[in-house]
Amino acid sequence: MRQLPDISSDQLVTRYGLQPHPEGGFYRRIWCSGGRIAAQALPACYAGERPWSTSILFLLRAGQHSRLHRLHSDEIWHFLLGGPLRLAIIHPDGSGEDCLLGQNITAGEALVHVVPGGCWFGAMPCPGSPYALVGCTVAPGFDFADFELAPDADSIRHSLPHCDAAASRILDDFFLSPTPAGA
């Protein structure tokens, strides 16, 4: 079996020209479809036309997490390199879901997972992971106008009064865990 090269998160940031992301971690858009969806063909939550689809590279280092956020569009997460990544999702009905992205599929890790539009979600490398590099594909394509950072745990709990135990744990994990400087 072919071994992957030993590469650091700093080397990945440099190699792919990754920049800090407002939610934490680093990213770069690597693809945007040439086709566009007209504003009148999209639901009212979209404030204008969107590309058919977009894709980014997204990197989180050990100890970092992305801030909980939500998008109007569905987002497909593809595991690429590094250690396993916890993808935590709170659905509009208040149910919480954890997915482990990674290459050890026999241990229950997934190579790909879809986050439905309208869900609050965030990610963090699992303990022992030096970093996690993923690809994220959004359709209709991503626009920062469709991106909302979670204000705080209490606001989400208030807007979703039927949060289950998994959703409450996600809120505690993402709001009570500090993100290191440079995230």
Side-chain angles (χ1 to χ4, degrees):
M1 186 164 126
R2 190 177 134 211
Q3 291 291 329
L4 293 174
D6 186 22
I7 188 165
S8 72
S9 62
D10 287 340
Q11 290 171 308
L12 289 167
V13 167
T14 300
R15 167 70 174 91
Y16 292 105
L18 304 178
Q19 300 296 315
H21 195 292
E23 76 191 49
F26 298 87
Y27 83 110
R28 183 173 70 87
R29 181 179 276 189
I30 57 171
W31 177 75
C32 180
S33 65
R36 307 287 289 179
I37 303 170
Q40 61 270 25
L42 290 166
C45 62
Y46 296 92
E49 69 175 24
R50 295 289 181 269
W52 290 338
S53 184
T54 56
S55 187
I56 66 168
L57 290 175
F58 183 62
L59 177 115
L60 286 168
R61 293 178 172 146
Q64 291 182 322
H65 67 265
S66 66
R67 291 178 54 194
L68 288 181
H69 61 288
R70 64 181 170 185
L71 307 175
H72 296 314
S73 300
D74 294 346
E75 184 169 30
I76 306 168
W77 286 60
H78 313 264
F79 181 80
L80 299 174
L81 289 174
L85 178 80
R86 174 187 177 199
L87 182 58
I89 304 164
I90 301 174
H91 295 272
D93 68 359
S95 63
E97 172 189 3
D98 276 312
C99 174
L100 290 181
L101 292 177
Q103 64 185 6
N104 191 351
I105 58 175
T106 60
E109 296 172 6
L111 296 172
V112 177
H113 193 78
V114 177
V115 177
C119 293
W120 292 106
F121 66 102
M124 63 177 67
C126 293
S129 296
Y131 63 83
L133 178 69
V134 297
C136 297
T137 304
V138 177
F142 180 83
D143 187 295
F144 272 103
D146 308 329
F147 173 82
E148 179 184 4
L149 286 172
D152 55 63
D154 289 339
S155 297
I156 294 175
R157 282 189 175 99
H158 181 72
S159 69
L160 300 171
H162 302 294
C163 283
D164 66 13
S168 291
R169 187 183 65 254
I170 290 166
L171 290 169
D172 291 344
D173 290 351
F174 281 81
F175 283 103
L176 299 179
S177 299
T179 298

